[in-house]
Amino acid sequence: MRRRSRAIAGVSVLALGAGLAACAPADSTPVLTWYTNPDAGGQATLAQQCTEEAGGAYRIEVSVLPRDASSQREQLARRLAASDSSIDLMSLDPPFIPELANAGFLAPVPDDVAEQVSQDVAEGALQGASWGDELVTVPFWANTQLLWYKKSVAEAAGLDPASTPVTWDQVMDTARDQDKTLGVQGIKAEAYTVWINALVESAGGQIVENPEAPAEDVQLGLETDAGREAARIIGEIGKDRLGGPGLPTQDENASLTQFQGDSGSFMVNWPFVWPAMQASVEDGALDQSFLDDVGWAVYPQVTEGTEAAPPYGGINLGVGAFSEHVDEAYEAAACIVKPENQAAYFVTDGNPPASTVAYDDPKVQETFPMADVIRQSLEQAAPRPQTPYYNEVSQGLQETWHPPASVDPDRTPQESTDFITAVLRGERLL
Amino acid sequence: MAAKATRGAGPGKASKPRKSDRARAEARLGWWLAGPAFVVMLAVTAYPILQAVYDSLFRYRLTAPDDRAFVGLGNYGVVLGDPVFWQSLGVTTLIMVITVAIELVLGFALALVMHRAVLRLRGLLRTAILVPYGIITVVSAFAWFYAFDISSGYVNSWFDWVPGISEDLNWFAGTGTSLFVIIASEVWKTTPFISLLLLAGLAQVPGDLEEAAQVDGATWWQRMKRVVLPNMKAAIMVAVLFRALDAFRIFDNVFIMTNGANGTTVLSLLAYRTSIGRLEIGLGSAISVLLFICVIIICFIAIKIFKVDLAGARGEK
């Protein structure tokens, strides 16, 4: 009996010891939690690489955020509002940066880090990483949309988008004449705002005239020739069913599926479609002849002869204001965004670098024959409105411009302006 | 709950003003037993509701904590004066009325089948009918979404022989078709619940009453109308009330399938979008409080319409 008790006591002590050991940190190395957007695993690889390079100064652990950008923003904003100290590093979508910076949720970027991470970075990416003329995040990768097209369709219409920029009207006429569909994102989601913004910016306007103004003073630039021209293009594509029957629910992936079908002609989409199409060919879902027929060019122009302002996206790295390891987090961020890491990430995950020199990497050039077009597109790209009230502006646009077939240049810009202004003043619900 | 237990256990106050020792001890025991549950209930329901009521009196955005200001009932004014709120309320009520009506008829039919099924088949039948209810709502919402989605769905190709359905039909691009899929998925998912409640009600109908009616020459329909249905009134009320409240709080199906596009925004989605999406805690709380008031009104109406005395149904009178 006694022996049994002793055995139980021994086992208990061992179990307790093991439990305590599991609770206690294995060493005193600071652990940095990096909240990443979902990708093909490239950010986790970079975390591991930088952990190894740090030589024990810190260890980066990755925690994956929800899939869509709005949900990522929601989760981060709620945690940061509760002063969550577990947020050391976060992958942030540029349009949501002003809101977090304005609320004081981001730790200031040290001068030396700011200098180091802004060298040879695309201008659009630097703008997207800043708020109020100050760098508040570290540029990581910068995305932009290209015009993807089937060479056979373009040739039949007498167009060569690779050498001469095409206009939206030309693209629409080609689809109409050849009974084809256009790959655009008409879903009531962030992707739709991206399209609206690109059209307004390409027509020489801007959705928000004074992005840094307080909510009640925000002025919109939709009731302008640029706003009306954007509405005309979207309305025409919707009414003439040029986007196909799936347009009102079509996101980037659905656009790609449509483009890969027989009815596909032109598509505006992010560069991730290139590795996706290649993978489909490797899997046998698509013929190599399809891939050979795919061409790419800079985003279509709204007005012939006026350079287009393609969508700008990407991810920047923010450091949480409540993190207990701010210095280490900035060291880690500087490591993650090294040009060679950005190039490697582009090759593995298809997300283009913010660093302009990373495009010269031979592997990048080999994997992405359109790398130079992407770099050019990034230089022309225009970000979405950089305002702390971006969410309201974006959702307000989606409420008033959806479905695409309902968009009317004489009515929609004005309705949209009235609605968004009322929402920002707290007079209307979204 | 504790109060009722006391009343049930002890003699009436009016006839005997002084309780016996035993009655008092039972009452005390009742409080001891029900007390912890009562406290937990208060903590998990009353506290959040009171907090929401308090928050709804402020203009408060989570990402602008310094701009917090007391606005009294201003948020309620904004919500009640906005067509978006009334449209959401209309859509929510429409979904609730249609789903409950369909489910009541379907559920009753299924309950009859289960009730009359051969003993050997009864277990299998109940399990089969309950499968949809066992599936997590988000999972079933995704299943229905992918079935009807224009690029991944199979419904269009399977049913293109039905007038109005073709390969080009985008179910989630219009209000009517979106609501049709949302309602159909809701009916599919929760009819088992209502049928199970009605089955319990059917089991309570005294067999001798039915037999007597049959002997008297009553037809099947007459037996249903005059014997079965009146005897299971309490069960029907519980089924309707529970499902109506459940349907009024619909969220998952709409969130997954349309996310409120094409005028399909329901009240809970509006509350979510305002509180979580826009981080407008004050305005969102006001919508949540109004949603809560709607739920109370539905309870009140259901109890009034059915005029069911639950105490009588329990045999306490």
Side-chain angles (χ1 to χ4, degrees), chain A residues 73-74 77-78 81 99 103 105 188 241 245-246 248-249 388-389 391-392 395 399 402 423 426-430, chain B residues 61-63 78-79 82-85 150 168 170 172-173 260-262 270 272-273 276-280 283 287:
Chain A
R73 165 194 163 269
E74 279 166 25
R78 286 165 63 201
E99 185 181 28
F105 292 165
K188 195 180 171 196
R241 293 174 75 85
T249 53
Y389 306 98
N391 189 53
E392 271 76 8
Q395 282 194 24
E399 280 300 321
H402 196 266
V423 167
E427 296 161 0
R428 287 288 312 261
L429 292 173
L430 248 178
Chain B
R61 186 190 164 92
L62 214 53
T63 46
V78 171
V79 175
D82 198 301
V84 170
F85 172 79
I150 190 164
D168 283 353
N170 190 345
F172 301 113
N262 322 312
L270 185 66
Y272 168 82
R273 214 158 59 190
I276 311 289
R278 293 181 57 199
L279 306 166
E280 289 279 4
L283 213 50
I287 301 174

Side-chain angles (χ1 to χ4, degrees), chain A residues 36-48 62 64 345 348-349 351:
Chain A
T36 62
N37 56 312
D39 62 2
Q43 290 178 94
T45 309
L46 288 179
Q48 202 183 343
V62 168
V64 183
Y345 184 60
T348 56
D349 287 60
N351 294 323

Side-chain angles (χ1 to χ4, degrees), chain A residues 45 54 82 112 144 167 247 283 309 328 388:
Chain A
T45 309
D112 56 329
T144 186
T167 62
L247 178 65
D283 295 346
E328 289 90 345

Side-chain angles (χ1 to χ4, degrees), chain B residues 11 18 22 34 40 42 48 72 78 80 87 99 105 114 134 196-197 225 230 240 245 269 271-272 302 308 315:
Chain B
R18 202 181 145 74
R22 190 182 160 182
V40 171
L42 272 184
V78 171
L80 293 172
Q87 199 197 340
T99 53
V105 176
M114 284 193 278
L196 209 65
L197 287 178
K225 200 175 154 192
V240 168
L245 293 182
L269 185 66
Y272 168 82
V308 174

Side-chain angles (χ1 to χ4, degrees), chain A residues 386-423:
Chain A
Q386 295 284 98
T387 155
Y389 306 98
Y390 175 74
N391 189 53
E392 271 76 8
V393 174
S394 174
Q395 282 194 24
L397 283 172
Q398 292 163 32
E399 280 300 321
T400 45
W401 290 57
H402 196 266
S406 71
V407 175
D408 176 355
D410 297 328
R411 196 173 39 78
T412 310
Q414 192 213 327
E415 275 179 13
S416 193
T417 303
D418 294 345
F419 181 68
I420 295 170
T421 312
V423 167

Side-chain angles (χ1 to χ4, degrees), chain B residues 97-111:
Chain B
V97 170
I98 295 178
T99 53
V100 173
I102 298 173
E103 286 177 23
L104 203 56
V105 176
L106 266 181
F108 190 68
L110 287 175

